Amino acid sequence: MWKNSNLRCLLALAILCLRSLIYSQEIGSLGHPQNLKCVTHNLHKMICTWDVSSKGRHGQTDFCYTTNDLPPPVCFKTKEKRVEIPVPQSSTMVTITTNNISGAAFAAKEFEIHKKDISFVPHTPHILSLTPDFSTSTLNLKWSDNGSVFPYGLDAFWQIQILRKEAMEEVTQVTYYSKLTHEDVILSWNWTSDMPLECTSHYVKIRCYVNVTQFVGPKDWSDWSPVEEVPGKDTEPNGSGVFPQDTVVAVGSDVTICCVHEEGQQIQRMTYGPEIYPMIHLSSRSSAIRVLNASASDTSGTNVVCILSEDEMDGTVLFVGYAPDIPQDLSCETSNFLIIKCTWKPGRPSGLYGKRRTKYSLFERTSGKNVSCEVNEMNRERVCGFPVLADQKTYDFILGVSNPIGQTESSLLVDLTQRVHPKTPEKLTASGNSSTSVGLRWFINGSFAEIRLLCQIEINSGHSERKLHNVSMPGGKFSTYTAQLNALHPYTRYQFRVRCSAADHFWRWSGWSRIDEHTTLEAPPARGPDIWRERSPSGKSLKIFWKPLSLSEANGKIVSHEVSCYLLGTPLEYKEVTEPSNSTEIKLGKKDCVISVVAKNHAGSSPPSRITSVELPSDNVKTDRAVAMGNGIYISWNSYPNMTCGYILKWCHSSGSEPCSVDWQKFPSNTTDAVIKSAVGLIIAILIPVAVVVLLGVVASIFCYRKREWIKETFYPEIPNPENSKALQFQKNICEGNKTLKTLEMNPCTPNSVEVVETRSAAPKIEDTEMMSPAADTTVPEDGSDSETENHVVVSYCPPIIEEEISNPPMDERVGSSQVVYIDIQSMYQPQIKPEEEPEIDLVTTAGYKPQMQLPISALKIESRSPAEEELDKTAGYRPQANTNAWNMDTPDSPGSVESNNENASFGSPCSINSRQFLLPPKDDEDSPKPSNIGWSFTHFFQNKPND
């Protein structure tokens, strides 16, 4: 038993020593609290955290703090190294005591916390929702600002970060501003992606910064919120397509279009319209292209095609247009007080049609009523109707305009009673049973009971100007309106039409109604006819004349005239003369009477016109002068004070064999001159200037023609065709004694006709009696001389006289000799003489004309010619246009004239001796180019006649 007792004592002592050892080791390993930090998230409470120097086991911690406004310390126990205490006004004392697991304190430390040491970091924002709108590629982000924990009026800044693709590449980072209102407010923010959201995944996160200016401690951004994701189509197992699908963008936009395909497929190429664009890699299942500054598409849009393989493709359509313009010239009016019609001009076309077209709505702010407007896109002017509201006269309109690209508006305030534009009057009818008045009726579709109408009636007749008659009347509801027109002219066909407007506040006239016609009844003629009488030369009869009444005086159709002759109230003779006669004859013998003429129509008779048969004294009235004028005859006479009734001017139209037609005109007593006008006078006034113009034209034509013929004959003499002209046919017996008639042949070219007047030494004239000239009677202008005593030789072709052998032919001629025949030239314009009167021919002095087509080569070498040859040339006959002294000097423009500056001028005629061209082209080469003349030429104005 003892042994067991001793053993128990020893065991208890060992356990006690062991516990003491363990306790002493714990006391030695525990450290003091350190690194105390305090952060506030709401400016009211702060969270303080700390560390301990050892990681050994320990029990609860006693945390005590004191503030200036709470002198007793506040203590509490915590198992964590984190506590939340109020934010002090300035500073606070904190005591942290560390206890062991048995609850005994073994370490303590005091800290003094100043307010400047406290950091302010807002709470981490929480995203409430992230909603995608795939049709507009827009993300909508919503979160709470936690404003209830902050004082009122603090500025808050929110940093929002957008990321894209699987690698979460940053796309953009924006800062959003808000004002805290001491309430929790849900904030919303939209972001539109430049890439369709279907193309790849998009991510969003957010953090916050609150600007507390009165807080003295450090301020910092909150932590980033957890990331919210919007997955793209490339993350879906079966997601594929080209995006965006049939979207609308503004002209000038940069557009990204992507093609999402299934696993295992590969994109070959992508096209926008006809062009292939480089592709942008987005993910393993998605690629995109980017179109910069897109231009307006046509009405059906622009195709985008994604080609995956030769037989597989996908695509979409892009519509590119304009946002709507602000409506211009907005105007509203009513035509019937039932509907208000508003019109405007849309401005530039949007280029979008169908379901993408521009839409209009009319909103009235006073009543809050809104109507949608159905408009025609093809009309340049838009129209929209709005119902008239009861007991409302003023309307405040807002015209809203929108399309998928944008929207705008225009406003207008209008008083409806001042914007009345009635519809066109209908059913206009004119009626009446009077010669001077007519009644009109018409209908206007509309309710105008609240206003007065002003209607304008247009009156047209054939013999008067257009007149406008205004009439004001109270308006009615869908009423018929009437008007009475007076002071019309009898027996006149009138045309009426009417239009209306508001009387008190004029805005616009309605359209004109259709025309209605009405003819007034006849009335008795307004006055008697103007009459005159003439006694026959024998004095036994009297002829009475009268003038027809004008339409405005006749008041109807004149059917007859009653002619009466009275002597002291006793009728001597009565006649009724029917139309169209305007005169009659009465047998009076030597008697005199008072003549009365009355015009009659179907409605009655005119007042009588009277004149006595006694001749009125006119011996004292003398005509001062009578002058013919362009439109009549001007007559004046002296004034006679005793004349109280006036003057009658009588004249007679005489046309030769026809009897004289009497006419007359009355003038008041104060008139001393007049112009007699009549149809004959007007015709003569017209014919005289016309005849003068025609006469001048004829004279000018004759003068110009004669000048033309002179210029033509002087500068361009006609050369006859030897095949058609008899001028080159001659009798060879004149020179050779052979009577055979033979035509002169000259190879290769024979002039058609040559006429030259050449001054030369005296020589006898040689005439060919066989040459018949059609211009034999034509006088040729003298060549530089006014005297006929000078020696002239007029030459024409004669039989060969001199034969010359040409040994040196031109280069283009065939080798061999040719014979050139020179002949005399004799006038074809001189009268032919008998053969027995022919003078003796001088064969030397009339060597004749040398054709220019086969000149000897030696003739071109002028310098080497001998004086004898030059002397021979002087008498060799015709030298075409070479001798300037032979020109007629009478015309100032002729060469060598007094008024000409060129004494040795040459006209460059085709007949010039300097020319190497043929005078006439061969018959088989009529289309060959003609030689160009050098110098002044009339060829474009005076063309030779064609060969006969």
PDB file of all heavy atoms in Angstrom, residues 416-428:
ATOM      1  N   LEU A 416     -56.074  78.423 -85.128  1.00  0.00           N
ATOM      2  CA  LEU A 416     -56.751  77.786 -86.245  1.00  0.00           C
ATOM      3  C   LEU A 416     -57.681  78.742 -86.982  1.00  0.00           C
ATOM      4  O   LEU A 416     -57.865  78.607 -88.197  1.00  0.00           O
ATOM      5  CB  LEU A 416     -57.539  76.567 -85.758  1.00  0.00           C
ATOM      6  CG  LEU A 416     -57.915  75.551 -86.842  1.00  0.00           C
ATOM      7  CD1 LEU A 416     -56.683  75.014 -87.519  1.00  0.00           C
ATOM      8  CD2 LEU A 416     -58.738  74.424 -86.246  1.00  0.00           C
ATOM      9  N   THR A 417     -58.263  79.721 -86.291  1.00  0.00           N
ATOM     10  CA  THR A 417     -59.166  80.658 -86.968  1.00  0.00           C
ATOM     11  C   THR A 417     -58.406  81.581 -87.927  1.00  0.00           C
ATOM     12  O   THR A 417     -59.031  82.238 -88.765  1.00  0.00           O
ATOM     13  CB  THR A 417     -59.915  81.512 -85.936  1.00  0.00           C
ATOM     14  OG1 THR A 417     -58.963  82.245 -85.151  1.00  0.00           O
ATOM     15  CG2 THR A 417     -60.761  80.638 -85.025  1.00  0.00           C
ATOM     16  N   GLN A 418     -57.087  81.632 -87.820  1.00  0.00           N
ATOM     17  CA  GLN A 418     -56.270  82.446 -88.713  1.00  0.00           C
ATOM     18  C   GLN A 418     -55.557  81.611 -89.770  1.00  0.00           C
ATOM     19  O   GLN A 418     -54.707  82.132 -90.484  1.00  0.00           O
ATOM     20  CB  GLN A 418     -55.238  83.234 -87.897  1.00  0.00           C
ATOM     21  CG  GLN A 418     -55.851  84.166 -86.877  1.00  0.00           C
ATOM     22  CD  GLN A 418     -54.811  84.942 -86.105  1.00  0.00           C
ATOM     23  OE1 GLN A 418     -53.646  84.974 -86.472  1.00  0.00           O
ATOM     24  NE2 GLN A 418     -55.234  85.566 -85.016  1.00  0.00           N
ATOM     25  N   ARG A 419     -55.903  80.351 -89.842  1.00  0.00           N
ATOM     26  CA  ARG A 419     -55.288  79.462 -90.825  1.00  0.00           C
ATOM     27  C   ARG A 419     -56.372  78.657 -91.538  1.00  0.00           C
ATOM     28  O   ARG A 419     -56.392  77.434 -91.517  1.00  0.00           O
ATOM     29  CB  ARG A 419     -54.292  78.512 -90.138  1.00  0.00           C
ATOM     30  CG  ARG A 419     -53.064  79.182 -89.588  1.00  0.00           C
ATOM     31  CD  ARG A 419     -52.196  79.733 -90.701  1.00  0.00           C
ATOM     32  NE  ARG A 419     -50.954  80.312 -90.215  1.00  0.00           N
ATOM     33  CZ  ARG A 419     -50.804  81.568 -89.866  1.00  0.00           C
ATOM     34  NH1 ARG A 419     -51.845  82.397 -89.924  1.00  0.00           N
ATOM     35  NH2 ARG A 419     -49.636  82.037 -89.440  1.00  0.00           N
ATOM     36  N   VAL A 420     -57.293  79.401 -92.191  1.00  0.00           N
ATOM     37  CA  VAL A 420     -58.408  78.770 -92.895  1.00  0.00           C
ATOM     38  C   VAL A 420     -58.140  78.823 -94.390  1.00  0.00           C
ATOM     39  O   VAL A 420     -57.933  79.903 -94.953  1.00  0.00           O
ATOM     40  CB  VAL A 420     -59.746  79.469 -92.558  1.00  0.00           C
ATOM     41  CG1 VAL A 420     -60.894  78.790 -93.308  1.00  0.00           C
ATOM     42  CG2 VAL A 420     -59.985  79.439 -91.060  1.00  0.00           C
ATOM     43  N   HIS A 421     -58.145  77.675 -95.005  1.00  0.00           N
ATOM     44  CA  HIS A 421     -57.940  77.551 -96.456  1.00  0.00           C
ATOM     45  C   HIS A 421     -59.076  76.693 -97.015  1.00  0.00           C
ATOM     46  O   HIS A 421     -58.959  75.466 -97.130  1.00  0.00           O
ATOM     47  CB  HIS A 421     -56.587  76.906 -96.738  1.00  0.00           C
ATOM     48  CG  HIS A 421     -56.253  76.828 -98.189  1.00  0.00           C
ATOM     49  ND1 HIS A 421     -55.273  75.999 -98.681  1.00  0.00           N
ATOM     50  CD2 HIS A 421     -56.765  77.466 -99.277  1.00  0.00           C
ATOM     51  CE1 HIS A 421     -55.191  76.139 -99.984  1.00  0.00           C
ATOM     52  NE2 HIS A 421     -56.094  77.019-100.370  1.00  0.00           N
ATOM     53  N   PRO A 422     -60.214  77.329 -97.368  1.00  0.00           N
ATOM     54  CA  PRO A 422     -61.385  76.540 -97.755  1.00  0.00           C
ATOM     55  C   PRO A 422     -61.115  75.687 -98.989  1.00  0.00           C
ATOM     56  O   PRO A 422     -60.251  75.980 -99.810  1.00  0.00           O
ATOM     57  CB  PRO A 422     -62.453  77.604 -98.043  1.00  0.00           C
ATOM     58  CG  PRO A 422     -61.981  78.837 -97.359  1.00  0.00           C
ATOM     59  CD  PRO A 422     -60.485  78.774 -97.401  1.00  0.00           C
ATOM     60  N   LYS A 423     -61.913  74.640 -99.119  1.00  0.00           N
ATOM     61  CA  LYS A 423     -61.835  73.813-100.308  1.00  0.00           C
ATOM     62  C   LYS A 423     -62.448  74.543-101.497  1.00  0.00           C
ATOM     63  O   LYS A 423     -63.170  75.530-101.345  1.00  0.00           O
ATOM     64  CB  LYS A 423     -62.562  72.490-100.078  1.00  0.00           C
ATOM     65  CG  LYS A 423     -61.862  71.571 -99.088  1.00  0.00           C
ATOM     66  CD  LYS A 423     -62.559  70.226 -98.995  1.00  0.00           C
ATOM     67  CE  LYS A 423     -61.803  69.286 -98.077  1.00  0.00           C
ATOM     68  NZ  LYS A 423     -62.463  67.962 -97.976  1.00  0.00           N
ATOM     69  N   THR A 424     -62.181  74.058-102.680  1.00  0.00           N
ATOM     70  CA  THR A 424     -62.690  74.688-103.898  1.00  0.00           C
ATOM     71  C   THR A 424     -64.217  74.617-103.924  1.00  0.00           C
ATOM     72  O   THR A 424     -64.797  73.544-103.701  1.00  0.00           O
ATOM     73  CB  THR A 424     -62.117  73.975-105.129  1.00  0.00           C
ATOM     74  OG1 THR A 424     -60.697  74.075-105.099  1.00  0.00           O
ATOM     75  CG2 THR A 424     -62.634  74.587-106.413  1.00  0.00           C
ATOM     76  N   PRO A 425     -64.884  75.737-104.173  1.00  0.00           N
ATOM     77  CA  PRO A 425     -66.353  75.705-104.258  1.00  0.00           C
ATOM     78  C   PRO A 425     -66.822  74.745-105.349  1.00  0.00           C
ATOM     79  O   PRO A 425     -66.191  74.608-106.405  1.00  0.00           O
ATOM     80  CB  PRO A 425     -66.722  77.157-104.580  1.00  0.00           C
ATOM     81  CG  PRO A 425     -65.570  77.964-104.071  1.00  0.00           C
ATOM     82  CD  PRO A 425     -64.358  77.116-104.283  1.00  0.00           C
ATOM     83  N   GLU A 426     -67.962  74.106-105.087  1.00  0.00           N
ATOM     84  CA  GLU A 426     -68.513  73.119-106.005  1.00  0.00           C
ATOM     85  C   GLU A 426     -69.911  73.552-106.458  1.00  0.00           C
ATOM     86  O   GLU A 426     -70.543  74.415-105.859  1.00  0.00           O
ATOM     87  CB  GLU A 426     -68.595  71.742-105.325  1.00  0.00           C
ATOM     88  CG  GLU A 426     -67.282  71.253-104.732  1.00  0.00           C
ATOM     89  CD  GLU A 426     -67.474  69.987-103.913  1.00  0.00           C
ATOM     90  OE1 GLU A 426     -68.586  69.420-103.958  1.00  0.00           O
ATOM     91  OE2 GLU A 426     -66.526  69.597-103.213  1.00  0.00           O
ATOM     92  N   LYS A 427     -70.362  72.918-107.534  1.00  0.00           N
ATOM     93  CA  LYS A 427     -71.735  73.043-108.028  1.00  0.00           C
ATOM     94  C   LYS A 427     -72.126  74.500-108.277  1.00  0.00           C
ATOM     95  O   LYS A 427     -73.223  74.929-107.902  1.00  0.00           O
ATOM     96  CB  LYS A 427     -72.712  72.406-107.034  1.00  0.00           C
ATOM     97  CG  LYS A 427     -72.404  70.953-106.720  1.00  0.00           C
ATOM     98  CD  LYS A 427     -73.333  70.402-105.653  1.00  0.00           C
ATOM     99  CE  LYS A 427     -72.963  68.971-105.294  1.00  0.00           C
ATOM    100  NZ  LYS A 427     -73.823  68.449-104.184  1.00  0.00           N
ATOM    101  N   LEU A 428     -71.231  75.255-108.903  1.00  0.00           N
ATOM    102  CA  LEU A 428     -71.555  76.647-109.222  1.00  0.00           C
ATOM    103  C   LEU A 428     -72.598  76.688-110.343  1.00  0.00           C
ATOM    104  O   LEU A 428     -72.415  76.066-111.394  1.00  0.00           O
ATOM    105  CB  LEU A 428     -70.295  77.397-109.643  1.00  0.00           C
ATOM    106  CG  LEU A 428     -70.491  78.827-110.138  1.00  0.00           C
ATOM    107  CD1 LEU A 428     -70.997  79.722-109.013  1.00  0.00           C
ATOM    108  CD2 LEU A 428     -69.193  79.391-110.708  1.00  0.00           C
TER     109      LEU A 428
END
